[in-house]
């Protein structure tokens, strides 16, 4: 992003040269960049097949796109701050946060899809809302395989799936349960 702000086009990067690109990165105290990456960037810029027509218009358009990107990035940060503050108003949020491997974004997605969890009398109702209710494929003498119904909220299934993957990776108890059922 720093290079794009100062040298938006490949011809500008070539004018900066390896030392110019490396100086920008050193001044910003970036890690994992140096002369080797600067050489690669300048080399690729020299062999670029981009349009050579109307470079001033292209520079202006890239500057506009970069400012839009920064604006949306700032909005996203503000939104994430709001998302992290709002759930603290929910009385049972601390119980959900105690689960190791479940983060605030997962909890927000769950609450957005489910609403107040206290309105459910038993877990089967929540299971049905997500479309995870087991249905059998039976008719007369035919006994088919059982599968989930998929008749619930697709986004809730997605949030629960992502939460399960996170729990398996970060929570030892859930990892053991997963291993037990897999083997």
């Amino acid at each position: 992003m720093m290079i794009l702000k100062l040298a938006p086009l490949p011809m500008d990067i070539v004018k900066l040269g390896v030392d110019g690109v490396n100086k920008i990165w050193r001044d910003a105290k970036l890690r994992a960049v140096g002369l080797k990456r600067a050489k690669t960037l300048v080399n690729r810029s020299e062999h670029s097949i981009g349009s050579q027509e109307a470079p001033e218009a292209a520079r202006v358009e890239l500057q506009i796109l970069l400012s839009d990107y920064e604006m949306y990035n700032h909005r996203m940060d503000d939104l994430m701050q709001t998302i992290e503050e709002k759930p603290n108003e929910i009385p049972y949020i601390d119980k959900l946060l105690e689960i190791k491997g479940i983060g605030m974004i997962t909890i927000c997605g769950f609450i957005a899809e489910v609403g107040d969890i206290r309105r459910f009398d038993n877990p089967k109702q929540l299971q049905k809302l997500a479309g995870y209710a087991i249905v059998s494929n039976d008719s007369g003498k035919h006994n088919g395989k059982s599968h989930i119904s998929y008749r619930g909220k697709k986004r809730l299934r997605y949030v629960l799936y992502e939460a399960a993957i996170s729990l398996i990776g970060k929570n030892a108890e859930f990892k053991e349960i997963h291993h037990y059922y897999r083997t």
Side-chain angles (χ1 to χ4, degrees):
M1 294 298 285
M2 291 177 216
I3 301 296
L4 280 176
K5 285 180 185 176
L6 296 173
L9 300 177
M11 65 179 77
D12 299 333
I13 294 172
V14 171
K15 285 179 188 173
L16 267 178
V18 175
D19 293 329
V21 171
N22 194 33
K23 184 178 181 335
I24 292 170
W25 288 338
R26 267 196 329 251
D27 292 344
K29 296 181 179 155
L30 289 180
R31 295 176 49 143
V33 291
L35 281 174
K36 188 175 179 182
R37 287 214 176 171
K39 286 178 188 175
T40 304
L41 180 63
V42 171
N43 187 19
R44 298 241 171 105
S45 298
E46 288 171 350
H47 295 91
S48 173
I49 58 169
S51 174
Q52 301 292 328
E53 298 175 14
E56 289 304 315
R59 282 185 189 95
V60 169
E61 185 174 0
L62 280 169
Q63 293 299 326
I64 290 170
L65 289 172
L66 285 171
S67 68
D68 286 350
Y69 174 78
E70 288 175 353
M71 179 188 62
Y72 287 125
N73 211 6
H74 183 68
R75 280 187 188 173
M76 184 68 160
D77 292 341
D78 291 344
L79 181 61
M80 289 308 295
Q81 185 178 359
T82 304
I83 285 175
E84 289 176 3
E85 290 171 1
K86 276 293 182 195
N88 293 328
E89 299 171 8
I90 299 170
Y92 55 86
I93 198 78
D94 54 337
K95 299 281 188 210
L96 293 173
L97 284 171
E98 288 175 3
I99 303 171
K100 183 181 177 195
I102 299 293
M104 185 60 78
I105 294 175
T106 304
I107 291 172
C108 289
F110 178 77
I111 291 171
E113 290 299 320
V114 172
D116 189 4
I117 199 169
R118 294 175 293 187
R119 67 188 174 111
F120 298 103
D121 294 330
N122 64 39
K124 291 276 186 197
Q125 292 174 323
L126 188 58
Q127 187 179 15
K128 192 170 183 178
L129 179 69
Y132 279 142
I134 304 295
V135 293
S136 59
N137 186 13
D138 297 341
S139 175
K141 292 182 181 179
H142 172 73
N143 288 331
K145 284 187 171 181
S146 297
H147 56 89
I148 63 173
S149 68
Y150 294 105
R151 295 190 75 181
K153 294 184 174 191
K154 183 177 182 178
R155 279 188 239 133
L156 179 57
R157 275 196 308 277
Y158 174 75
V159 167
L160 291 173
Y161 173 78
E162 290 294 323
I165 295 298
S166 177
L167 283 170
I168 292 167
K170 297 178 181 170
N171 195 320
E173 291 87 11
F174 281 95
K175 189 180 281 188
E176 285 181 31
I177 292 170
H178 179 261
H179 180 71
Y180 172 79
Y181 283 116
R182 295 283 296 173
T183 56

